[in-house]
Amino acid sequence: MPTRLSAWLKAGIPVLQKDLRVEFRTRYAYSALVMFAVTTLVTVSFSIGGATLEVDIAASLLWIILFFSAMAGLSRSFVQEEEAGTVVALKLAADPEPVYFGKLFFNVVLLFSLAALVVPLFLVLLNLTVAMPLYFLLVVAMGCLGLAGVTTILAAIVSKAGAKGSLLTVLAFPVLLPLLIGAINATRSALAGVPAAYLRPDLNLLFFYNGIAVIASLLLFEYVWNE
Amino acid sequence: MIWQVVLGLWMAAVVIASFLYVPPAVGLGELGRIIIYHVPAAWIAVLAYLMAMVNSITYLRNGDVRLDRQAKINNELGTVFCILATITGAIWSKASWGMYWNWDPRQTSIAVLLLIYAAYFVLRGAISDTDRRARLAAVYSVLAFITVPFLVFIVPRVYASLHPDYIGRGKMQIDGRMLRVFLASLAGFTGLYAWLYRIQARLETLLYRMQIKREA
């Protein structure tokens, strides 16, 4: 089993490279993500007009922005395969598991690069200071991993269901909610600064949720991909 | 037929006993009686969702369309009992915490559970091709059930909840008569679930046959 997993991971890299190359040519998914995030952020920042937000509200806002941006861009990798008619070629070229890993890595790369842009902007525009920077980074990273992990397989489902516009959000929100609850709570603690021991339950929740989500997606992906 | 009569009498006896036989609970007073309806409803919801996940996994393994129908029925019944648990919970919450809804972690988790399975039916409605619908719905059903333990067991434990919680927390203090009626109610609800399931299964099978006949 471990040898197969590493083989899948290795075979996933070319899929990731292919997706990155396609993305560099059009920059559709990334611009959709970034534009969505920046527009929301600017709206929020503009409407509160320089007032300092409470930590609770700021933490929820950050994850609302990240969640809806993810919904705007992450289904792209699968929908685009369907639209371009390249699904069959990809099916021939790779097993389902490498395809899953490739798409997952691609979505993780997308979300991380989005977070790298949006999170600093968020802190600057909303005039926030982070009490525990390292934990804050860790929480954002784990939250993004979870968002990508769950959204990848749901995006595959949505692309097979005829890419109905709002379906992804409807499907993803409730499934992602345990993750969002954990991430918002942990972000709030990291912004406000609490003893490190208080962060443990949230981080555990994020960690196990991510692990279970990725394993389940890996087991189920074959059934979505091959029909 | 005989079983339906037995079930009817059984449930009627549970209802009567819950008001006349059970004494007021320690600490909760008369409110404690709602345990007899609230907890079994929640239990059946989780049971039905679990069954739906088992149906879905088996469907993905062998592709029998009957299993897809069973998963759908189980998700429907799970949702019905989940709504019942939510409503009885809200009534209880009003009586003992002062408001119907206060986003206690336990209430959050049951609301999300309802949302998840509502999304399941949205997904089913969005796909017209029968095979594809069955397959994608099965995958979503499995994914959805994975979040159930998080919502039902983990989130209310990690975040402070007002909801009384006895599972895995040592011995609970409960009156013997209360316990007897509670267990009887649990059995009654399970019977009710089995009966509803059989009716729905017959209905769905008939509808399926009709559709086959119409297409032929």
Side-chain angles (χ1 to χ4, degrees), chain A residues 3 6 19 25-26 33 39 59 61 70-71 78 93 100 113 123 129 141-142 155 162 171 184 189 200-201 205 226:
Chain A
T3 51
S6 65
D19 273 345
R25 284 187 192 144
T26 62
L33 278 174
T39 322
L61 272 178
M71 293 305 110
F78 281 105
Y100 173 73
S113 44
L123 295 177
T129 42
M142 278 174 58
L171 293 185
I184 289 172
S189 315
R200 276 292 293 282
L205 182 78
N226 291 333

Side-chain angles (χ1 to χ4, degrees), chain A residues 129-139 186-199:
Chain A
T129 42
V130 186
M132 304 164 82
L134 272 181
Y135 273 110
F136 182 71
L137 281 181
L138 183 65
V139 170
T187 309
R188 179 194 305 157
S189 315
L191 282 175
V194 292
Y198 284 119
L199 271 166

Side-chain angles (χ1 to χ4, degrees), chain A residues 102-157:
Chain A
K103 299 285 186 191
L104 174 66
F105 295 156
F106 176 68
N107 282 342
V108 170
V109 169
L110 266 185
L111 265 188
F112 275 11
S113 44
L114 173 80
L117 185 75
V118 168
V119 173
L121 208 57
F122 178 80
L123 295 177
V124 170
L125 281 180
L126 297 188
N127 193 22
L128 292 165
T129 42
V130 186
M132 304 164 82
L134 272 181
Y135 273 110
F136 182 71
L137 281 181
L138 183 65
V139 170
V140 171
M142 278 174 58
C144 286
L145 273 179
L147 275 179
V150 172
T151 313
T152 303
I153 188 158
L154 291 179
I157 292 180

Side-chain angles (χ1 to χ4, degrees), chain B residues 38 84-95 99-101 107:
Chain B
H38 175 67
L84 284 178
T86 312
I87 294 171
T88 48
I91 294 170
W92 194 356
S93 157
K94 172 72 180 171
M99 58 210 286
Y100 286 110
W101 203 263
Q107 291 184 324

Side-chain angles (χ1 to χ4, degrees), chain B residues 29-152:
Chain B
E30 301 291 339
L31 292 175
R33 300 184 199 283
I34 204 166
I35 291 178
I36 289 160
Y37 307 101
H38 175 67
V39 178
W43 143 253
I44 295 299
V46 173
L47 177 73
Y49 287 147
L50 177 72
M51 290 305 295
M53 187 193 67
V54 173
N55 292 148
S56 298
I57 291 177
T58 328
Y59 171 78
L60 289 175
R61 293 186 85 106
N62 66 19
D64 183 353
V65 273
R66 218 179 61 208
L67 288 160
D68 174 51
R69 294 203 297 272
Q70 291 174 357
K72 182 186 162 221
I73 297 165
N74 272 318
N75 276 330
E76 281 170 356
L77 288 177
T79 307
V80 169
F81 281 97
C82 202
I83 291 171
L84 284 178
T86 312
I87 294 171
T88 48
I91 294 170
W92 194 356
S93 157
K94 172 72 180 171
S96 74
W97 305 335
M99 58 210 286
Y100 286 110
W101 203 263
N102 66 350
W103 292 112
D104 184 80
R106 188 56 83 173
Q107 291 184 324
T108 312
S109 57
I110 204 157
V112 176
L113 212 55
L114 282 174
L115 273 182
I116 290 182
Y117 286 92
Y120 171 86
F121 294 111
V122 172
L123 179 65
R124 287 192 76 95
I127 311 167
S128 48
D129 182 75
T130 327
D131 275 351
R132 187 173 271 200
R133 177 173 61 213
R135 184 185 284 259
L136 297 181
V139 171
Y140 189 74
S141 181
V142 178
L143 271 181
F145 191 79
I146 287 167
T147 57
V148 170
F150 277 95
L151 291 168
V152 176

